[in-house]
């Protein structure tokens, strides 16, 4: 247990109000949240309390100037009844990197991981039981000082909440449709904060995403901010292109292309994991700039066979259609064999159905009564 942690339990659980058969993404939160405060140069007062509203002065500078970062990771109810948290130390590190970019004091990995363990132990009944579902963990760091000067705050709050979630993209829709954005950009040029998981990057994407949705697309495919030419990411996921000749599922000798991390792209934990799994299959992963014209021509000519996104919320999401400046290209055979195989493999590792050969999972034991009701899985 984290030293100095106090726990105040919710008087009444809200779990009975949740329809676990129809879980949307991020619409409902579990009973408890973790909270810690920073003042006079140090973090203190770690506590778990009932999930609920927090009070902020309207002059809180973070509300005006956006000094806030967050992260996202998932816990799964394993086939053996234990909970598995996927690569939490990577998210702890990324939160520290995001925080450093926004002058927010770092949260130690020990606290980050300890908070996750405590929340899962307390709210273990909220871990969904169906494959495709998970307990999404959302750590959030906010400045809390009321002032209108544009400078880093001197007080902060670290919150961690959990939410039982279903799929981010409709799993029955076949594939995601993307509009390559030719006008707006998500992140500023190199030297900006594109790699940080901070509110401003998501706010910057909302106008173009709303426009794209009105036109019938699911998401925007962001291009680089200087030339509007090179593919960056999808905002809620990193993007991968499998070229023909890369072999079918498990084949060898081919390649999968993904844009390199250059400061303007989010360093996705799922991105990193997927790169490792693709390489394990004997396929080459090229982290290199890829122009949108190369993508559109590749799909049209058949040299790009599969396009998929990878992210914590999105998992592995097949892309079916891309539009760029009025030109539409549709992938055949969606989801493709590599996309399907990677989805099955990563979900298999996350739920304990497949061996965790990279040692990615952090196991959190659940009470025996819970272990008797492990996650329902479909084989394959
Ligand atoms: C995640 O995948 O965890 C994210 O933060 C994406 C978010 C936009 C849902």
């Amino acid at each position: 247990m984290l030293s100095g942690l106090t726990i105040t339990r919710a008087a009444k659980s809200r779990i009975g109000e949740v329809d676990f058969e129809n879980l949307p993404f991020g619409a409902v939160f579990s009973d408890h949240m973790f909270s810690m405060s920073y003042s006079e140069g140090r973090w203190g007062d770690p506590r778990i309390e009932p999930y609920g509203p927090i009070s902020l002065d309207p002059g809180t500078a973070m509300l005006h100037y956006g000094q806030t970062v967050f992260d996202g990771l998932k816990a799964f109810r394993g086939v053996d009844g234990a909970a598995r948290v996927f690569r939490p130390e990577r998210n702890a590190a990324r939160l520290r990197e995001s925080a450093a970019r926004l002058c927010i004091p770092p949260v130690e990995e020990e606290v980050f991981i300890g908070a996750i363990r405590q929340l899962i132990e307390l709210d273990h009944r909220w871990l969904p039981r169906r494959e495709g579902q998970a307990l999404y963990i959302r750590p959030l760091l906010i400045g809390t000082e009321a002032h209108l000067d544009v400078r880093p705050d001197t007080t902060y709050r670290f919150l961690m909440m959990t939410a039982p979630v279903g799929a981010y993209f409709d799993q029955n829709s076949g594939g995601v449709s993307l509009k390559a954005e030719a006008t707006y950009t998500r992140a500023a040029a190199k030297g900006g904060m594109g790699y940080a998981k901070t509110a401003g990057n998501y706010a910057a994407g909302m106008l173009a995403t709303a426009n794209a949705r009105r036109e019938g697309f699911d998401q925007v495919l962001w291009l680089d901010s200087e030339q509007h030419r090179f593919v960056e990411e999808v905002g809620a996921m990193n993007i991968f292109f499998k070229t023909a000749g890369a072999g079918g599922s498990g084949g060898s000798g081919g390649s999968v292309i993904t844009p390199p991390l250059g400061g303007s792209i989010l360093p996705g934990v799922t991105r990193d994991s997927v790169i490792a799994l693709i390489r394990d299959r004997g396929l080459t992963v090229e982290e290199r700039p890829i122009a949108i014209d190369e993508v559109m021509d590749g799909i049209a000519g058949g040299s790009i066979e599969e396009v998929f996104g990878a992210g914590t919320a999105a998992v592995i999401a097949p892309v079916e259609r891309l539009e760029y400046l009025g030109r539409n290209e549709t992938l055949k055979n969606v989801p493709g064999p590599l996309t399907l195989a990677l989805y099955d493999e990563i979900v298999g590792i996350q739920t304990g159905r497949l061996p965790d050969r990279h040692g990615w999972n952090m196991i959190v034991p659940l009470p025996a009564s819970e272990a008797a009701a492990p996650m329902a899985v479909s084989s394959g």
Side-chain angles (χ1 to χ4, degrees):
M1 173 138 146
L2 282 173
S3 93
L5 180 74
T6 58
I7 298 178
T8 309
R9 286 174 182 266
K12 185 173 179 303
S13 174
R14 290 176 283 102
I15 197 166
E17 299 163 18
V18 181
D19 178 6
F20 279 87
E21 301 290 314
N22 299 294
L23 267 184
F25 183 87
V28 53
F29 295 91
S30 318
D31 285 331
H32 298 92
M33 63 184 186
F34 177 86
S35 174
M36 193 167 72
S37 305
Y38 181 95
S39 64
E40 294 173 7
R42 58 174 212 82
W43 287 106
D45 191 19
R47 54 202 188 276
I48 285 179
E49 49 199 31
Y51 177 85
I54 58 168
S55 143
L56 286 173
D57 188 303
T60 303
M62 175 272 300
L63 297 172
H64 308 240
Y65 307 134
Q67 200 194 6
T68 173
V69 295
F70 68 97
D71 217 280
L73 65 162
K74 279 179 174 170
F76 301 84
R77 183 182 291 274
V79 292
D80 55 0
R84 284 172 169 73
V85 187
F86 192 66
R87 309 191 74 181
E89 67 295 333
R90 291 291 296 228
N91 296 85
R94 189 171 64 183
L95 186 70
R96 285 198 301 276
E97 283 152 24
S98 298
R101 181 64 183 81
L102 280 101
C103 301
I104 299 175
V107 170
E108 294 303 323
E109 179 182 305
E110 190 194 341
V111 174
F112 186 97
I113 304 271
I116 292 174
R117 285 187 177 278
Q118 289 291 334
L119 285 174
I120 291 177
E121 275 175 33
L122 207 55
D123 282 336
H124 57 80
R125 291 190 307 140
W126 290 80
L127 269 163
R129 293 174 189 276
R130 294 181 174 275
E131 192 163 297
Q133 299 180 335
L135 190 72
Y136 185 78
I137 302 165
R138 171 54 64 88
L140 173 71
L141 270 166
I142 55 173
T144 53
E145 197 183 340
H147 64 86
L148 294 181
D149 195 5
V150 181
R151 59 154 172 86
D153 283 1
T154 59
T155 61
Y156 296 88
R157 194 148 167 206
F158 175 52
L159 295 161
M160 190 184 278
M161 59 211 90
T162 67
V165 295
Y168 190 70
F169 292 110
D170 178 5
Q171 299 289 298
N172 302 315
S173 74
V176 174
S177 56
L178 301 178
K179 178 176 178 176
E181 177 56 47
T183 304
Y184 300 108
T185 51
R186 168 189 166 274
K190 310 272 182 271
M193 57 182 194
Y195 69 88
K197 221 160 162 57
T198 185
N201 286 334
Y202 293 80
M206 286 180 189
L207 177 59
T209 305
N211 290 342
R213 286 200 173 139
R214 256 197 306 278
E215 293 171 36
F217 297 93
D218 294 303
Q219 287 273 326
V220 163
L221 177 64
W222 296 107
L223 304 178
D224 78 284
S225 59
E226 279 153 45
Q227 299 178 56
H228 278 269
R229 186 167 163 233
F230 292 100
V231 172
E232 297 230 303
E233 61 160 270
V234 182
M237 55 189 190
N238 296 110
I239 189 94
F240 290 80
F241 304 93
K242 177 189 175 270
T243 60
S249 149
S252 60
S255 82
V256 177
I257 305 163
T258 193
L261 301 177
S264 57
I265 293 179
L266 189 86
V269 177
T270 312
R271 175 187 184 276
D272 181 76
S273 311
V274 161
I275 288 175
L277 295 180
I278 295 171
R279 288 188 173 139
D280 288 352
R281 284 171 181 267
L283 301 182
T284 304
V285 179
E286 293 177 58
E287 292 183 71
R288 67 155 169 93
I290 179 164
I292 186 66
D293 289 331
E294 181 182 345
V295 170
M296 300 306 272
D297 292 346
I299 297 172
S303 64
I304 291 179
E305 297 183 315
E306 295 182 47
V307 181
F308 58 90
T312 298
V315 194
I316 308 283
V319 174
E320 186 172 25
R321 181 163 74 96
L322 268 134
E323 197 246 34
Y324 175 57
L325 292 176
R327 175 180 176 186
N328 270 278
E329 297 298 345
T330 303
L331 277 296
K332 301 175 186 74
N333 192 20
V334 176
L338 181 65
T339 308
L340 272 178
L342 289 170
Y343 177 85
D344 182 65
E345 190 172 11
I346 202 155
V347 172
I349 293 169
Q350 288 170 331
T351 56
R353 175 167 52 78
L354 295 176
D356 179 16
R357 62 180 179 279
H358 291 281
W360 283 334
N361 292 320
M362 177 179 90
I363 309 279
V364 182
L366 297 182
S369 56
E370 286 285 296
M375 175 176 249
V377 285
S378 54
S379 63

